[in-house]
């Protein structure tokens, strides 16, 4: 059976797609019983939609495939600790567990800044992912240089 690292690596591949499009490099993968149900990456600029975060897009796709109620049995893997909007969507859909690869000091809504999932008792785990952090750092360094 595939493990947590495998699914986080899939989310990282999604994040790289966002990076190459000039989007903030965040990727998300939703699994059910150890199988990928959906995956996505940030598409805010591409879709001109401020809600087009990786998590939201993956949740939309998963709910169409398996139904909203079944999301309660799903786990979500994200390269970055979710923002309040995404953490709220995860909480309201009652995900079984959330995994993320990098802290989001500025907007994190799991433990870094806000504690949204605590109220809903959604378990979470921070996975060790230097590559998630490096991709974000590289993206913002390029932005600061004006590329």
């Amino acid at each position: 059976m595939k493990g947590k690292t495998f699914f986080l690596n899939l989310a990282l591949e999604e994040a790289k797609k966002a990076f190459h499009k000039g989007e903030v490099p965040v990727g998300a993968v939703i699994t059910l019983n150890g199988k990928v149900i959906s995956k996505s990456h940030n598409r805010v600029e591409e879709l001109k939609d401020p809600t087009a975060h990786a998590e939201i897009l993956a949740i939309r796709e998963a709910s169409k495939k398996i139904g909203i109620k079944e999301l309660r049995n799903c786990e979500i893997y994200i390269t970055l600790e979710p923002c309040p909007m995404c953490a709220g969507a995860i909480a309201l859909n009652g995900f079984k567990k959330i995994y993320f690869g990098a802290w989001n000091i500025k907007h994190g809504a799991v433990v870094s800044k806000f504690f949204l999932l605590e109220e809903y008792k959604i378990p979470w785990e921070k996975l060790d992912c230097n590559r998630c952090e490096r991709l974000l750092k590289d993206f913002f360094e390029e932005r600061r240089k004006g590329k």
Side-chain angles (χ1 to χ4, degrees), residues 103-117:
W103 299 111
N104 184 346
I105 303 304
K106 198 170 184 183
H107 303 289
V110 176
V111 290
S112 291
K113 185 156 180 131
F114 308 103
F115 302 90
L116 239 160
L117 297 183

Side-chain angles (χ1 to χ4, degrees), residues 8-27:
L8 188 60
N9 284 333
L10 288 180
L12 185 59
E13 291 304 312
E14 286 295 315
K16 289 176 185 175
K17 291 178 187 176
F19 181 93
H20 294 298
K21 293 179 179 181
E23 301 272 1
V24 175
V26 177

Side-chain angles (χ1 to χ4, degrees), residues 1-7 31-36 75 77 96 99:
M1 188 163 147
K2 296 173 178 112
K4 299 178 265 191
T5 303
F6 175 83
F7 295 119
T31 64
L32 176 63
N33 300 324
K35 294 183 181 152
V36 174
E75 295 179 327
Y77 296 80
K96 186 175 175 181
Y99 300 90

Side-chain angles (χ1 to χ4, degrees), residues 61-137:
E61 183 183 334
S63 64
K64 286 178 187 174
K65 283 185 179 176
I66 62 172
I68 294 169
K69 289 182 180 177
E70 194 64 30
L71 291 176
R72 289 185 212 126
N73 297 315
C74 291
E75 295 179 327
I76 186 166
Y77 296 80
I78 312 157
T79 55
L80 179 67
E81 178 184 2
C83 71
M85 175 181 69
C86 295
I90 291 164
L92 290 172
N93 283 292
F95 275 77
K96 186 175 175 181
K97 190 165 183 177
I98 174 176
Y99 300 90
F100 58 91
W103 299 111
N104 184 346
I105 303 304
K106 198 170 184 183
H107 303 289
V110 176
V111 290
S112 291
K113 185 156 180 131
F114 308 103
F115 302 90
L116 239 160
L117 297 183
E118 187 176 290
E119 191 69 29
Y120 289 87
K121 300 194 180 5
I122 306 283
W124 60 272
E125 184 177 338
K126 161 67 170 78
L127 301 175
D128 187 24
C129 187
N130 293 332
R131 293 176 302 142
C132 293
E133 295 164 6
R134 181 81 255 157
L135 188 62
L136 286 158
K137 285 179 183 176

